[in-house]
């Protein structure tokens, strides 16, 4: 039963990865908007850029890991 629940938290397809990255981006932009309000000027803008940059890095890592896992599973399915 725990394995079935655990499978819900595993990213299996690129579509699921895109949904996760979208959710991260929405949250990051909300946090960035709060930084702009709280820290007016260049400081807030730099924090906004840091929030968006972190989403780019996380998204790239998710896609790389997904590609690696699919490549590792491919020989098992073929043989």
């Amino acid at each position: 039963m725990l394995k079935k629940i655990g499978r819900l938290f595993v990213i299996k397809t690129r579509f699921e990865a895109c949904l996760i990255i979208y959710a991260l981006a929405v949250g990051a932009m909300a946090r960035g908007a709060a930084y702009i309000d709280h820290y007016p000027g260049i400081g807030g803008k730099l924090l906004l850029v840091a929030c968006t940059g972190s989403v780019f890095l996380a998204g790239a890592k998710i896609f790389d890991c997904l590609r690696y896992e699919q490549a590792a599973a491919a020989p098992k399915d073929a043989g």
Side-chain angles (χ1 to χ4, degrees), residues 5-48:
I5 293 172
R7 286 178 46 113
L8 293 173
F9 299 100
V10 175
I11 302 170
K12 296 180 263 326
T13 64
R14 288 182 64 84
F15 179 71
E16 291 172 351
C18 288
L19 290 177
I20 299 285
I21 294 167
Y22 176 76
L24 288 172
V26 169
M29 291 309 297
R31 185 70 242 168
Y35 282 142
I36 292 278
D37 290 339
H38 196 272
Y39 302 108
I42 192 73
K45 291 177 185 176
L46 288 174
L47 288 170
L48 174 72

